[in-house]
Each structure stands twice: as C-alpha cells, then as structure tokens.
C-alpha cells in the first residue's frame, strides 16, 4: 500500500473542511448581503416613488411641468435613480428624466401610461423588477390645500388618483455593491481558508512535528542508532509521548548496551577461554617438549653413564690383564731366569700403579658426579701458588729439557678456591702440557679481570697440539678422551685428567676451554677462577691473617699496652687479650705465630679457661695453635713454674720470662723465633721412582711451608744431596727403587758419612725389613721413622705433621 | 712346526704378557704388529696361521684414520685371500652383549675377554679356533 503520510491526510481533510466551510459561509454571506441590499434598494425606491407621488400631486393636477421637473431633478440627487417618469392619468408624460445609461427604450412601462391603482387592493407602490427596479406610485389629489391633511383624511375622505410616478432605480449600484459584497465574501472565504491552513499548519506543527521527529528517531533507532532522542520539549501529551518515547529509547539503549556489554563480556570470556586453551596447549606442548628434552637428556645421561662404565671397565681390565698374566707366568714357573721374573714383577707393579692412578681418578670423577666432593674454598695468593707449582713441576720440565715459566702482572690478586683442587687442576694441565711437548716450553699465565671478578689462568705449550677440528676440541673434556686419542698408551695417563679438571674448575665457579690451532701447533687450556671478593686489607691485617701476629695475653692493662706498643714499634702485628677465654678465641681466630702469655691470669668463675695454664695446654693441643710458639711471663721464679709445667707433659716446653720484662730480652727471643720459623719453606727431598707418589706428596704438602725436591732413584738423590745438601732439611726416602735403593742411600749417607745429620723419613710399601742389616738401617739410630705408603695415602696430613714435628725439633735443637 | 700367531695389541704390557703366555704356554710363534697395512700383507702372504686382535687400537691408522680391531678383522674376512685365516677378538670390552656384537660386526671366529683369567683355557680356545678353521679349510 502506498504510504500516505499523516501530514498529507491531515492536510487533505483539513483543506476540505476549511474550503467547504469557507464557501458555505461566503455564499451565505453573499446572498444575505444581496437580500439586504435589494431590500434597501426597494425601500429606497418605494420611498422616492412615494415621496415623488406625494409631492407631485399638485404638479400633476395642474400639469405644472416646471414644478414637476424640479421634483424629478430633486429625485436625481439619489444616485441610484435611473429615471423618473411622471404621467397623469391620461398617460401624458408630464416630466421625465433619464440617466445617460437609461434610454427611453430601455424603460418599460411609462409609455404604457400610468396604471391606475386601486388603493384598496394594491399598495401605493408597485414594484417591478426588470432591467431596473421600477416603482410606480399613484399621484393623488385631495381637496385640502394642506397636503398632509388631505393625506390624513384620505382614508376617510375619498382621494382621487391624478397620475402616477414611475421611478426606476438602476441595478448598477446594486450590482456594484453586490460585486463588492461578493469580493468581500470571497475575500472572507479566502481569509478563512488561509486561516484554516495556517491553523492546520500550526496544528500539524504542534501535533505532527513531534510525531515525525519520533518517527524519524524511531526509524534511526530501528536502523540501529540507539543514541537518538526526540528533542521535543513541550508540556503536553506530545511532550509526554516524546518523554515516554525517549524513556523507551533509553531503556532500549540500556538494554542494547547491556546486551552489547554482555555480548562483549561473553566475547571477552570466549577470547580469554581461547587464549587460555591456547596457552594451555602451548604449555602442554612446552611441557611435552621439556619432557622430551628431559627424556633425551636422561637417555643421554644414561648413555654417557653406560659409556663411562664400559670405558671404566675397559680401562681397568687392561692393566689387570697384564698384572694377572705376569703373575700367572711367574707362579707357573714360566720365567727363564730370576732376572726375567723380577722384570715381569716390575711390569706387573707398573701396571698395578697405573691401575691405582686410574682408580684414584675414577673415584675422583665418581665423587664429583655424586656431588660428594667437598671444596674448602679459601683465599689463595696466586703469586705464592705459582711459586709452589714451580717447585712441584720444574724438575719434570727440566728432565725433558722444557722451559716452564709462570707469568702474570705483579702484584697478582688472590683467588677464591679450594687450594688442593686448584693445585690438582694446574698440576694436571701442566702435566699434560709436559707430556705432550717434546721441545719448547710451557707457559702458565694468570691475568686478573677485576671488573669481571675472575682470574684467567692459561696453560700454553708448544707441543703436539690437537688434530681435532676446533669445534670438536671440547670433547677432550669427556672421560677417557685424550689429547689426540692415538697417544693414550704412548703418553700414559688415565684419560680422566681433563674431565676431572673441568669438573673441578666448574665446581669452583669457573669455566675451562681448550684450543689448538692443529697438529704440532701447541695447545692452550684456559680456565677461570673467581677472584677473592675481599677488599684488600691493610698490611697489618694481612700479617695477622697470615698467622704472623703476636698475641699478647696480659690482664694488667698498662703492661698489655706497653707490650703492644713495644712490639708494634718493632714491626710486629700485635693482637691482645685480657682474659684466658679471650686469649683462646683470638688464638683460634688468628693463629698467631707467637703468644706472649701471662701465666697468672685472674680467675673467673664463669670462664671456660681459668688461667694461663689452661690457655697454655689448649694452645699446645689445639690443631690450630699447636704450631704457635709460647712465651710465658711470670712474676714468680721461672724454675718453679718450669717444674710445675713438667707435670703437664706438654708437647714442647715454652720459653719463660720473669717479670719485669726486659724489652731487649723479649725482642731477642721473639726475633729468634721469627727467624727460625721464617726459615720455612723447609726443603724436602723426596726420593721415589713412582712419579705418582711425588705428585701425591706435592699435593699434600702446604707450599708455603715446604719446598719439595724430587729424585727418581738413589743415585739422583745422592747427587742432589751432594750438590745442594745445605738446602735440604729432610729426606723422604722410598726403599725399593731401580739403580740404587733406599737401604743403600741410608748406608751411604749415615754410615759412609755423606750426610750423617740429614734427618730421614722412610716411606715405603714394604715397611718390614728382611735382613739384619736392613733392620739396623731402619733403626731409630739412623733414621727418624718408617711410614707405610698406605698410611700416607690414607691420611695425607700425617706426613705433614711428621715433617713439621721433626723440623721444629731440629730447629729447637739447633 | 710352530704355528705362527699375529698379535695385534696396542698396550705395551698386554703385548708383552700375551706374547709370553702364547709362547710359553701354547708353543706359538708370536708376531707383533699394529700397522694395518703390515697386518694385511702378512695375512695375504700366508705368513700367519691365526690372528689375535684387540679392539681398541690407539696406534693403528688406515688412510690417516684410526681403525679398531673390528674393522681390521672385517677387512681380512671380506678379502677372499685372507678370509679363511682364523681371527680371535681379544678385548677388555667385556660388558654384557659385547661378545655377540663384536663377533657379528667383525666376522671373527672367536672372542676372548680380558683379563685372561685362566691361561690353559685361553690357550685351549686359541687352539680350538685354529683346529676348527683348519678342519673347515681341509673339507
């Protein structure tokens, strides 16, 4: 259906009604006006005719034309009058007058003469409407002169008609009036129509505009623009409607917004959910991958373990085969001679030693891999470390004619590491370098990288290098791989050294790297060790820390102060204590070289250590302090104190000084002790054909205390003693050695008088002397002690303790 | 006439001990070589009656590459000139399954694990392998 807007409908209906009403009203007005106008005209005509007739009575009667013409002329004052015609009863026109538009021909009637009117039945004026409104009035005559009297009496008295007057009134004026009335009516109608339209427009505006607005808005809303509102501000129903509409729209919008929000929320949740699912999927994938990786790693670890086990098994079986084979041959009596038997036994022993070093290395590796290897991290001055290494390795280098040099900027800072393990790594790397180098030299270099917090060690050789491509060189750190696999047997070793070194370096917080430019291009192993984080301490603290301090234990504050000042002035690092407990604590903490101890310390009930005697016994017993020298000071007779002390069965007798203290005496005593102890490192000559023992002893002996020389057999030892005899403080001697054994060395030194005063400690696997002469040679008259190698291997510290003990004794005796 | 046995072994001590065992307990003439080319030429020229080959050979190279006993054995077995010479693998690789794997890979006639625990049995095994192969060769 074709859409017809309300506005159009309203306009159509309204127009129809307005026009109809206006027309009806106009027409009615027109006709009514016309009636009135006509009536006016008629009554005017009647009046004129009557008046003329009345006034013309005399003139007609007397046919006074002049008079009548005056009358007629007078009647023409009225503009409507078209003509006037007066005739007498004979039909004789007495006066007539026409307006220009009214011709005689147009006038009907007058020529027919004046009708005689019967007053009883006809009115005094006959009205005839034709072209003109014609009024005919009879002119009457009465007797009396007074016309009015005649009139009055006319009814009573008989009047006579003498003529008639005919007046024609023109319709022209009427028509003109009617025309103007028509115009007015039409105008009125038009005005009404206009007003009607205006009214309808206003009405429509008032009613429809809000509606239209609402319609448009509704359309917009329907089209989706929910923010649309009807801007109708009116206090009527449309306003209410608009408000309701707006309310509805707002509600709709809110609903829509809520819906949208809900939808968005849903969408968000959905996205969230999707994301979560995705994330979970990724997580799962990642977890899966991690599992796969872990699995692969486990498999790899398992493979590596099996491989290690297989390799270990192989490596252990190889020397074992030789040992068992040789032994079987000997036992079965298959040796051609005693010499061959010895030869085979020696071979078996060599293989056994190889087996031992293998087992040691494997145990090291196993310990490391099981996490059982404990590190004792301490501060290690690298300069000192290098000195120790030089001492340990230079003989080996010299034997091969190789130059072994240690380099580094001075002063080298300290590193933080396990001393024994760091030495093990360096000895191992230097050992490798020596092993694989035929000519040239080995350089050990230390470069501190303070900002990075580590020291870089480099061991460079000019040896056979590595045949492997660079990217594979790192595989040499795997167990049982050696620098160039073909050299395993030729160069000996277990193939575990680098693996152990790598693990140790990493455990100490460093990294290790091996590189070589190729075969015969030399090899460089670089590794890092963390620098000691400690800020450089004062020289005094350094001295104190290094066990160079003097501990003054004295309750008398003034004496304590005096001693402290005295000793400090003389360049000693002094620490002091006022009580026995304090003395013990400080002694443990600083391990002073010398303790000046007041024997009579005040007795304290709560204290653990009550007096100087307690302190003395503790110092002598505790491993931290038993190397400290003690000077007792006492106010009593030193002899009585000495006696008293003898009941304590002390390990050594302390020096005793009587109060008051003579500064010179004290200082000379201190200086003597200082000098004695400063003689260390004591030089130890180790004579053993097994380089493993030398290696082991080297590792065991603290480098700051012992300088180790090594000799491979008796002859080498005797040569060294004869050339450097003054330097050598003590001899560690193996018994079974090729060329010249230990018994012969003892005999030559002691009985033949080559060095009768040189203290000797025998270390041997065969501590039982066989012959009488051997027994004599191993007696206390000739040597200090016989120590089993197994004891040494089991408790490495025992050899250190023994050496220290004998060296100190020797110092004191001297 | 003494049987000639070629011992391919890289470890000095093992070389010595096995040679002694075979000479003294088994009445063999023991030749030693670690050089694959020498081994091949000895085998081809019928200089040896039997080979005892170690697996890990750290000093043996062929065309600049390390070769092990399995490879040497395989080459000998694949060569029609030498395929009939009996080969025994002697190795300290004695994990479970090693024996079967080595025999399969090398084509060798016998496997003896180190350490040699029982010398007479070891010699017996060598003789047995030698006998079996000569029987085969004869038939």
């Amino acid at each position: 259906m074709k859409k017809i807007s309300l506005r159009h409908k309203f306009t159509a209906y309204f127009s129809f009604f307005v026009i109809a009403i206006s027309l009806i009203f106009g027409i009615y007005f027109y006709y009514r006006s016309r009636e009135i106008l006509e009536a006016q005209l008629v009554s005017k005509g009647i009046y004129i005719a009557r008046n003329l007739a009345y006034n013309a009575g005399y003139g007609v009667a007397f046919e006074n034309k002049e008079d009548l013409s005056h009358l007629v002329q007078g009647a023409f004052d009225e503009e409507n009058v078209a003509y006037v015609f007066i005739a007498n009863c004979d039909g004789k026109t007495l006066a007539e007058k026409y307006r220009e538009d009214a011709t005689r021909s147009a006038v009907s009637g007058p020529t027919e003469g004046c009708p005689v009117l019967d007053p009883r039945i006809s009115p005094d004026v006959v009205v005839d409407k034709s072209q003109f409104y014609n009024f005919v009035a009879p002119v009457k005559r009465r007797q009396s002169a007074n016309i009015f009297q005649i009139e009055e009496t006319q009814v009573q008295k008989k009047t006579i008609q003498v003529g008639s007057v005919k007046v024609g009134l023109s319709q022209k004026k009427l028509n003109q009036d009617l025309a103007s009335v028509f115009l007015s009516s039409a105008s009125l109608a038009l005005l009404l129509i206009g007003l009607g339209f205006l009214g309808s427009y206003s009405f429509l505006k008032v009613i429809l505009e809000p509606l239209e607005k609402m319609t448009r808005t509704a359309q917009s809303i329907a089209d989706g623009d929910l923010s649309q509102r009807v801007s109708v501000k009116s206090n009527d129903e449309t306003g209410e409607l608009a408000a309701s509409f707006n309310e509805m729209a707002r509600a709709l919008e809110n609903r829509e917004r809520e819906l949208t929000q809900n939808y968005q929320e849903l969408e968000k949740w959905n996205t969230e959910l999707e994301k979560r699912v995705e994330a979970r999927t990724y997580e799962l994938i990642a977890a899966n991958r991690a599992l796969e990786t872990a699995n692969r790693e486990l498999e790899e670890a398992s493979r590596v373990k099996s491989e290690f086990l297989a390799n270990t098994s192989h490596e252990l079986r190889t020397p074992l085969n030789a040992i068992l084979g040789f032994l079987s041959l000997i036992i079965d009596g298959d040796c051609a001679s005693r010499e061959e038997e010895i030869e085979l036994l020696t071979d078996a022993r060599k293989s056994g030693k190889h087996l031992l070093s293998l087992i040691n290395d494997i145990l090291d590796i196993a310990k490391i891999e099981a996490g059982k290897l404990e590190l004792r991290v301490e501060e290690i001055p690298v300069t000192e470390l290098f000195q120790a290494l030089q001492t340990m390795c230079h003989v080996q280098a010299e034997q091969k004619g190789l130059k072994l040099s240690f380099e580094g900027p001075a002063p080298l800072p300290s590193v933080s590491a396990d001393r024994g393990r760091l030495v093990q790594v360096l000895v191992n790397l230097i050992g490798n370098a020596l092993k694989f180098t035929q000519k040239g030299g080995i350089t050990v270099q230390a470069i501190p990288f303070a900002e990075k917090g580590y020291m870089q060690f480099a061991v460079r050789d000019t040896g056979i290098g590595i045949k492997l491509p660079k990217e594979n060189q790192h595989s040499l750190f795997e167990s049982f791989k050696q620098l160039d696999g073909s050299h395993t047997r030729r160069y000996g070793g277990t193939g575990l050294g680098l693996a152990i070194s790598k693990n140790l370096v990493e455990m100490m917080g460093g990294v290790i790297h091996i590189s070589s430019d190729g075969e015969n291009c030399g090899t460089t192993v670089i590794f890092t060790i963390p620098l000691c984080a400690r800020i450089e301490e004062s020289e005094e603290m350094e001295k104190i820390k290094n066990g160079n301090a003097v501990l003054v234990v004295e309750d008398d504050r003034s004496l304590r102060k005096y001693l402290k000042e005295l000793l400090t002035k003389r360049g000693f690092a002094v620490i002091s204590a006022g009580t026995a407990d304090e003395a013990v604590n400080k002694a443990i903490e600083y391990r002073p070289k010398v303790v000046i101890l007041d024997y009579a310390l005040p007795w304290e009930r709560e204290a653990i250590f009550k007096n100087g005697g307690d302190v003395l016994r503790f110092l002598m017993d505790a491993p931290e302090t038993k190397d400290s020298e003690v000077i007792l000071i006492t106010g009593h007779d030193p002899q009585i104190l000495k006696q008293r002390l003898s009941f304590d069965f002390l390990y050594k007798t302390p020096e005793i000084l009587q109060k008051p203290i003579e500064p010179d005496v004290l200082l000379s005593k201190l200086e003597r002790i200082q000098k004695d102890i400063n003689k260390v490192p004591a030089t130890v000559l180790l004579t053993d054909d097994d380089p493993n023992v030398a290696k082991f002893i080297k590792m065991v002996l603290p480098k700051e205390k012992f300088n180790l020389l090594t000799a491979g057999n008796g002859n080498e030892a005797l040569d060294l003693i004869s050339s450097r005899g003054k330097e050598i403080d003590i001899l560690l001697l193996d018994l079974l050695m090729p060329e010249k054994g230990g018994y012969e060395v003892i005999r030559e030194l002691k009985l033949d008088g080559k060095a009768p005063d040189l203290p000797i400690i025998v270390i041997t696997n065969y501590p039982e002397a066989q012959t009488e002469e051997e027994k004599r040679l191993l007696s206390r008259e000739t040597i200090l002690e016989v120590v089993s190698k197994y004891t040494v291997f089991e408790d490495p510290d025992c050899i250190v303790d023994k050496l220290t003990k004998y060296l100190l004794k020797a110092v004191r005796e001297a | 006439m003494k049987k000639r046995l070629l011992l391919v072994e890289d470890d000095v001590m093992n070389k010595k001990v096995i040679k002694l065992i075979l000479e003294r307990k088994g009445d063999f003439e023991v030749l030693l070589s670690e050089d694959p080319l020498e081994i091949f030429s000895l085998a081809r020229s019928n200089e040896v009656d039997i080979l005892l080959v170690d697996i890990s050979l750290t000093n043996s190279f062929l065309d600049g590459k390390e070769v092990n006993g399995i490879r040497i054995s395989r080459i000998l077995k694949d060569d029609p000139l030498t395929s009939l010479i009996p080969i025994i693998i002697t190795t300290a690789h004695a994990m479970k399954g090693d024996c079967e794997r080595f025999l399969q890979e090398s084509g060798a006639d016998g496997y003896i694990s180190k350490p040699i625990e029982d010398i007479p049995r070891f010699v017996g095994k060598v003789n047995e392998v030698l006998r079996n192969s000569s029987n085969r060769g004869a038939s």
Side-chain angles (χ1 to χ4, degrees):
Chain A
M1 204 173 88
K2 195 188 166 196
K3 187 191 163 193
I4 301 165
S5 75
L6 208 55
R7 181 179 280 270
H8 288 134
K9 279 183 189 166
F10 260 112
T11 313
Y13 291 135
F14 225 84
S15 308
F16 176 74
F17 281 116
V18 164
I19 291 167
I21 287 166
S22 304
L23 281 179
I24 289 165
F25 189 75
I27 288 164
Y28 169 77
F29 179 74
Y30 175 73
Y31 279 100
R32 186 83 186 115
S33 301
R34 189 190 166 107
E35 253 174 56
I36 291 165
L37 282 173
E38 255 178 4
Q40 275 180 350
L41 197 66
V42 168
S43 64
K44 198 182 233 173
I46 288 169
Y47 174 74
I48 292 169
R50 191 178 277 165
N51 216 16
L52 269 177
Y54 185 78
N55 288 326
Y58 184 74
V60 172
F62 293 99
E63 291 187 15
N64 187 347
K65 287 187 183 179
E66 199 178 339
D67 202 12
L68 287 173
S69 129
H70 274 292
L71 273 173
V72 170
Q73 193 62 46
F76 266 86
D77 289 345
E78 200 63 43
E79 60 175 338
N80 285 13
V81 177
Y83 68 91
V84 175
F85 193 87
I86 301 172
N88 61 13
C89 291
D90 301 330
K92 189 183 170 187
T93 302
L94 297 175
E96 61 185 322
K97 190 169 168 76
Y98 306 92
R99 290 226 189 237
E100 56 275 9
D101 58 336
T103 56
R104 182 140 173 113
S105 55
V107 180
S108 64
T111 49
E112 285 121 45
C114 271
V116 178
L117 302 169
D118 185 351
R120 285 166 298 182
I121 52 166
S122 62
D124 56 346
V125 179
V126 174
V127 180
D128 165 33
K129 286 182 205 172
S130 59
Q131 192 187 355
F132 300 97
Y133 277 70
N134 298 315
F135 302 92
V136 181
V139 179
K140 290 169 183 167
R141 175 112 193 312
R142 56 185 160 62
Q143 291 316 132
S144 141
N146 189 334
I147 192 166
F148 294 103
Q149 279 175 339
I150 292 168
E151 273 282 47
E152 284 166 5
T153 59
Q154 200 172 30
V155 187
Q156 300 145 343
K157 295 175 190 175
K158 187 146 168 198
T159 53
I160 48 165
Q161 186 177 353
V162 286
S164 60
V165 173
K166 197 173 182 179
V167 177
L169 291 184
S170 168
Q171 282 188 45
K172 193 177 167 188
K173 177 70 167 69
L174 181 70
N175 286 342
Q176 276 176 355
D177 284 348
L178 277 176
S180 77
V181 165
F182 181 78
L183 269 177
S184 302
S185 303
S187 304
L188 195 65
L190 281 174
L191 186 70
L192 280 172
I193 288 169
L195 280 173
F197 275 109
L198 198 69
S200 83
Y201 175 77
S202 307
F203 175 76
L204 286 176
K205 191 175 160 71
V206 170
I207 299 295
L208 282 182
E209 207 160 78
L211 274 178
E212 274 172 349
K213 275 185 185 168
M214 276 186 255
T215 310
R216 275 198 303 272
T217 312
Q219 191 62 45
S220 298
I221 290 172
D223 287 346
D225 185 2
L226 290 171
S227 62
Q228 289 287 335
R229 292 286 178 277
V230 187
S231 58
V232 175
K233 289 188 182 74
S234 116
N235 48 4
D236 55 15
E237 286 84 349
T238 54
E240 259 175 54
L241 183 62
S244 307
F245 183 88
N246 282 345
E247 192 56 42
M248 191 188 73
R250 197 171 297 118
L252 199 64
E253 195 185 17
N254 285 344
R255 273 278 291 286
E256 177 75 16
R257 195 182 298 128
E258 258 172 49
L259 272 173
T260 314
Q261 271 176 4
N262 286 349
Y263 179 75
Q264 279 170 348
E265 208 144 295
L266 264 175
E267 196 135 296
K268 217 172 82 184
W269 275 102
N270 206 20
T271 320
E272 186 84 355
L273 204 64
E274 273 173 26
K275 271 187 196 158
R276 275 197 206 171
V277 169
E278 207 173 333
R280 277 307 280 269
T281 312
Y282 277 126
E283 269 172 36
L284 273 173
I285 292 171
N288 233 4
R289 275 197 202 128
L291 263 177
E292 276 170 29
T293 312
N295 208 20
R296 264 201 304 278
E297 275 169 12
L298 267 178
E299 277 169 18
E300 174 66 10
S302 163
R303 192 190 61 76
V304 167
K305 272 244 149 68
S306 319
E307 207 168 88
F308 180 77
L309 196 63
N311 281 328
T312 306
S313 157
H314 176 262
E315 295 298 316
L316 293 178
R317 279 162 185 275
T318 301
L320 203 56
N321 186 52
I323 296 167
L324 293 178
F326 287 131
L327 294 179
S328 298
L329 284 170
I330 295 160
I331 290 165
D332 291 354
D334 285 309
C335 291
S337 62
R338 166 89 178 140
E339 283 71 33
E340 197 185 41
E341 212 171 275
I342 299 278
E343 187 198 326
L344 295 195
L345 278 171
T346 314
D347 284 346
R349 190 177 60 176
K350 264 189 201 163
S351 297
K353 281 177 181 171
H354 178 65
L355 191 59
L356 177 69
S357 58
L358 257 174
I359 289 167
N360 282 339
D361 280 357
I362 286 165
L363 284 178
D364 260 359
I365 284 269
K367 239 189 203 172
I368 289 166
E369 294 200 339
K372 292 254 171 74
L373 191 83
E374 276 175 26
L375 294 179
R376 273 192 315 206
V377 176
E378 57 183 321
E379 183 191 345
I380 302 166
V382 176
T383 315
E384 198 190 303
L385 181 78
F386 275 3
Q387 279 166 6
L389 285 166
Q390 172 86 43
T391 314
M392 287 161 75
C393 302
H394 76 100
V395 176
Q396 227 181 321
E398 278 161 17
Q399 279 169 357
K400 275 189 96 171
L402 298 171
K403 191 171 170 279
L404 174 63
S405 55
F406 291 85
E407 292 173 0
L412 274 172
S414 298
V415 292
S416 176
D418 182 306
R419 182 176 196 105
R421 296 303 178 177
L422 180 56
V423 168
Q424 187 181 350
V425 170
L426 280 163
V427 164
N428 185 4
L429 296 178
I430 294 168
N432 273 341
L434 289 169
K435 201 153 57 181
F436 296 113
T437 305
Q438 302 308 326
K439 58 178 182 194
I442 289 103
T443 313
V444 184
Q445 195 181 38
I447 305 165
F449 289 90
E451 71 284 0
K452 290 174 186 161
Y454 62 71
M455 175 85 83
Q456 179 189 290
F457 290 94
V459 179
R460 292 196 174 80
D461 65 49
T462 54
I464 58 168
I466 306 168
K467 252 203 291 192
L468 289 170
K470 290 224 165 190
E471 59 272 21
N472 293 341
Q473 289 177 359
H474 208 72
S475 71
L476 291 169
F477 289 113
E478 289 167 23
S479 302
F480 299 116
K481 290 249 179 175
Q482 276 201 337
L483 293 168
D484 195 329
S486 66
H487 297 89
T488 316
R489 301 297 182 269
R490 198 189 306 167
Y491 291 95
T494 60
L496 287 169
L498 275 181
I500 293 170
S501 298
K502 177 174 188 277
N503 279 307
L504 289 176
V505 166
E506 283 171 2
M507 279 178 77
M508 289 188 282
V511 289
I512 192 164
H513 177 75
I514 190 164
S515 69
S516 167
D517 289 336
E519 206 171 3
N520 298 320
C521 291
T523 305
T524 304
V525 181
I526 292 173
F527 69 94
T528 60
I529 291 291
L531 283 171
C532 213
R534 200 168 51 84
I535 311 150
E536 282 298 311
E537 285 184 10
S538 69
E539 213 180 294
E540 175 135 305
M541 273 315 281
E542 203 70 46
K543 266 191 197 167
I544 291 170
K545 281 274 162 98
N546 285 344
N548 285 320
V550 175
L551 172 61
V552 175
V553 187
E554 171 56 64
D555 59 309
D556 180 353
R557 196 178 293 167
S558 59
L559 179 58
R560 192 166 72 223
K561 200 175 162 212
Y562 166 75
L563 287 174
K564 202 173 170 180
E565 275 172 11
L566 172 77
L567 297 174
T568 309
K569 244 183 249 168
R570 289 304 187 96
F572 291 95
V574 183
I575 40 180
S576 60
T579 66
D581 275 359
E582 197 190 346
V584 168
N585 288 337
K586 288 208 167 159
I588 292 170
E589 191 181 347
Y590 297 112
R591 302 181 183 205
K593 187 169 281 179
V594 181
V595 182
I596 299 170
L597 177 64
D598 187 359
Y599 192 74
L601 290 171
W603 191 86
E604 280 176 51
R605 183 183 289 277
E606 307 295 329
I608 301 165
F609 298 96
K610 311 282 188 198
N611 56 34
D614 284 350
V615 177
L616 179 66
R617 276 184 292 279
F618 176 82
L619 292 178
M620 295 281 185
D621 286 339
E624 293 96 333
T625 53
K626 64 181 183 191
D627 294 333
S628 302
E629 292 293 323
V630 181
I631 300 171
L632 276 178
I633 45 178
T634 175
H636 306 293
D637 185 357
Q639 289 311 314
I640 295 167
L641 184 57
K642 217 171 220 172
Q643 253 176 17
R644 207 148 115 198
L645 287 177
S646 67
F647 293 110
D648 282 329
F649 298 107
L650 292 167
Y651 156 65
K652 59 190 176 190
T653 319
E655 298 273 358
I656 300 173
L657 278 182
Q658 196 177 2
K659 286 184 191 174
I661 307 291
E662 298 273 354
D664 287 344
V665 179
L666 176 65
L667 287 172
S668 71
K669 270 198 190 304
L670 274 174
E671 265 157 19
R672 227 194 66 219
I673 291 168
Q674 192 82 343
K675 211 169 96 191
D676 288 345
I677 296 169
N678 275 354
K679 200 180 173 293
V680 296
T683 304
V684 178
L685 173 59
L686 172 69
T687 311
D688 198 317
D689 58 332
D690 185 355
N692 288 321
V693 175
K695 202 168 150 189
F696 182 76
I697 296 287
K698 254 178 219 169
M699 258 156 49
V700 162
L701 295 185
K703 313 319 172 252
E704 67 274 18
K705 285 190 176 172
F706 300 100
N707 188 1
L708 190 72
L709 296 179
T710 52
N713 58 46
N715 283 335
E716 284 181 1
L718 290 170
D719 287 348
L720 270 171
I721 290 164
S722 66
S723 64
R724 301 167 70 175
K726 292 241 167 62
E727 289 170 48
I728 297 162
D729 295 303
I730 196 160
L731 173 64
L732 280 177
L733 185 64
D734 186 15
L735 292 177
L736 283 186
M737 284 180 292
E739 289 184 52
K740 190 169 273 178
Y743 290 114
E744 282 177 72
V745 174
I746 297 170
R747 191 186 299 127
E748 285 189 31
L749 290 176
K750 296 290 180 181
L751 303 183
D752 298 352
K754 284 190 176 167
D757 295 326
L758 183 64
I760 301 171
I761 295 176
V762 168
I763 50 166
T764 177
N765 284 320
Y766 310 98
E768 305 303 328
Q770 299 301 313
T771 64
E772 282 303 311
E773 198 211 1
E774 284 177 357
K775 275 181 190 161
R776 205 174 61 243
L777 286 171
L778 294 188
S779 74
R780 283 295 173 112
E781 276 104 39
T782 43
I783 63 156
L784 294 169
E785 198 174 347
V786 179
V787 185
S788 160
K789 274 187 190 169
Y790 292 109
T791 317
V792 175
F793 283 126
E794 251 170 46
D795 178 19
D797 285 341
C798 82
I799 196 76
V800 181
D801 287 349
K802 286 181 198 300
L803 285 171
T804 313
K805 188 173 100 185
Y806 288 122
L807 287 169
L808 279 173
K809 199 175 157 198
V811 165
R812 250 192 309 278
E813 277 163 10
Chain B
M1 198 185 124
K2 277 188 179 177
K3 292 288 182 186
R4 290 162 74 91
L5 182 144
L6 176 56
L7 176 62
V8 184
E9 166 68 62
D10 63 332
D11 184 81
V12 183
M13 290 297 178
N14 276 297
K15 226 186 268 187
K16 188 170 176 181
V17 80
I18 294 170
K19 184 178 182 325
L20 278 172
I21 288 170
L22 289 167
E23 283 172 353
R24 309 257 163 111
K25 301 280 193 181
D27 201 30
F28 285 97
E29 186 187 339
V30 180
L31 307 175
L32 293 166
S33 178
E34 290 178 66
D35 176 9
L37 292 179
E38 195 188 5
I39 294 165
F40 298 148
S41 89
L42 280 170
R44 284 206 188 101
S45 55
N46 270 333
E47 293 282 319
V48 290
D49 299 307
I50 185 166
L51 282 100
L52 233 65
V53 185
D54 185 16
I55 288 182
S56 300
L57 298 171
T58 43
N59 307 320
S60 304
F61 294 91
L62 196 59
D63 302 329
K65 273 188 204 161
E66 242 181 275
V67 284
N68 60 17
I70 291 175
R71 177 113 184 84
I72 290 173
S73 171
R74 178 44 72 190
I75 290 169
L76 288 169
K77 284 295 175 188
D78 287 348
D79 184 345
L81 283 175
T82 56
S83 64
L84 286 176
I85 302 173
I87 300 174
I88 297 173
I89 296 286
T90 56
T91 177
H93 288 286
M95 303 297 279
K96 203 179 162 193
D98 278 352
C99 169
E100 293 77 11
R101 188 159 56 87
F102 292 148
L103 282 178
Q104 203 229 323
E105 285 174 15
S106 64
D109 304 271
Y111 164 89
I112 295 170
S113 71
K114 286 189 253 183
I116 297 155
E117 286 171 61
D118 187 332
I119 290 178
R121 244 171 71 188
F122 166 68
V123 177
K125 173 92 183 172
V126 178
N127 280 321
E128 184 197 323
V129 171
L130 194 57
R131 213 169 32 243
N132 285 347
S133 82
S134 61
N135 287 345
R136 235 184 307 137
S139 65

